[in-house]
Amino acid sequence: MDLNFFHIFTELLIGFIALLFLTKVLGKTEITQITTFDFVSVLVLGELVGNALYDDKIGIPEILSAVGVWGFLIYLTELLTQKFRSSRSLLEGKPAIIINKGKIDYNEVKKNRLDLNQLQHLLRAKDIFSFSECYYAILETDGTISAMKKQMFSTPTKQDLNLPLQHTALPISVIMDGEIIQENLPFAQYDKDKLSQELKRLGIASHKEVLYAEWQENMPLYIQKYEENT
């Protein structure tokens, strides 16, 4: 029993390391599953390792070779789609315009194996609750919808309302779960001493009292203490 447990643990550990290495090599798109092919690839990789755990005839060399061969094939496919534009429609698929200038393209809907209920569901996820509100809808290669509302239904922008434009700044987390996020401090124009001084100025003795703190340009430091969450 102990030997069997050790065997499973070893194969799991080796399989985990192999998959982790493979995802680093293949890049983030494989994890986010941008295309149907990416999704299938992830499933197959998981199955290769999972099935090997319950087959006594398959050991670590077989697991590594299977993951390696499949990873090479995926890498080769990604390389082909990067180098040769013509291969993308075959290997990755291509987006389809299923609503064009306010009209449902029924041929594209059928071609992509959609029905109108599914299309309604996808549009509702984009805050479009009626076909009459949609001007363009594109079915992406990952099965999601990118949609553009008709102008009469679109949200007005500041430019439309002639409001002054403001500089957009990215919020930076500087404290999370009572710990200072050291790598973010330079982006927030802080160092540890300066942050501690700012906390003391706000009546906070230590960063360990802070659940979350966020810096944003031209804004006061946003802080939520642990006691505020109880």
Side-chain angles (χ1 to χ4, degrees):
M1 183 68 180
D2 290 340
L3 288 175
N4 189 42
F5 176 80
F6 179 75
H7 177 72
I8 292 175
F9 172 79
T10 305
E11 289 191 339
L12 270 176
L13 181 61
I14 297 298
F16 174 79
I17 294 172
L19 290 177
L20 182 63
F21 174 76
L22 199 58
T23 53
K24 292 292 184 182
V25 172
L26 296 177
K28 296 178 181 178
T29 57
E30 194 67 29
I31 301 170
T32 54
Q33 301 169 11
I34 287 178
T35 67
T36 306
F37 180 77
D38 292 332
F39 175 69
V40 173
S41 298
V42 171
L43 288 180
V44 172
L45 279 173
E47 286 295 309
L48 286 174
V49 176
N51 290 336
L53 296 176
Y54 302 100
D55 193 334
D56 295 334
K57 297 179 181 179
I58 296 178
I60 292 173
E62 288 80 7
I63 293 175
L64 291 177
S65 60
V67 171
V69 170
W70 187 254
F72 173 75
L73 292 174
I74 298 172
Y75 179 78
L76 184 62
T77 302
E78 297 291 343
L79 193 63
L80 285 172
T81 56
Q82 289 174 12
K83 297 291 184 181
F84 304 103
R85 185 173 175 272
S86 58
S87 67
R88 294 175 190 173
S89 59
L90 174 65
L91 296 173
E92 295 182 348
K94 57 183 179 180
I97 300 175
I98 53 178
I99 296 181
N100 192 349
K101 296 182 179 179
K103 301 292 184 182
I104 299 172
D105 190 330
Y106 188 61
N107 289 328
E108 285 293 332
V109 170
K110 285 200 304 181
K111 183 179 175 182
N112 288 278
R113 306 292 190 272
L114 272 177
D115 59 46
L116 294 183
N117 286 337
Q118 290 172 322
L119 182 53
Q120 283 180 317
H121 169 77
L122 292 169
L123 288 173
R124 284 195 295 268
K126 298 296 181 180
D127 198 29
I128 298 176
F129 288 83
S130 170
F131 288 126
S132 63
E133 299 177 17
C134 187
Y135 193 58
Y136 279 110
I138 300 172
L139 182 66
E140 304 291 358
T141 56
D142 64 348
T144 60
I145 284 277
S146 297
M148 178 187 293
K149 289 184 178 181
K150 293 178 180 177
Q151 286 192 3
M152 66 183 75
F153 297 108
S154 61
T155 305
T157 63
K158 287 190 174 184
Q159 188 174 11
D160 294 330
L161 300 174
N162 293 320
L163 295 175
L165 301 179
Q166 296 177 338
H167 173 66
T168 302
L170 182 68
I172 304 293
S173 303
V174 292
I175 299 177
M176 193 175 294
D177 297 317
E179 294 186 11
I180 296 175
I181 307 176
Q182 296 281 359
E183 61 269 24
N184 285 357
L185 292 183
F187 298 104
Q189 301 171 9
Y190 273 100
D191 56 31
K192 192 172 180 179
D193 291 336
K194 184 179 177 181
L195 181 58
S196 297
Q197 291 173 7
E198 180 66 13
L199 291 176
K200 288 177 182 177
R201 188 183 70 81
L202 296 170
I204 301 172
S206 171
H207 62 270
K208 296 185 183 299
E209 300 176 23
V210 178
L211 174 65
Y212 181 76
E214 178 182 277
W215 173 90
Q216 191 170 355
E217 190 176 355
N218 300 322
M219 296 285 289
L221 195 64
Y222 172 79
I223 297 174
Q224 182 177 333
K225 298 171 66 176
Y226 275 104
E227 62 188 37
E228 296 172 5
N229 202 41
T230 57

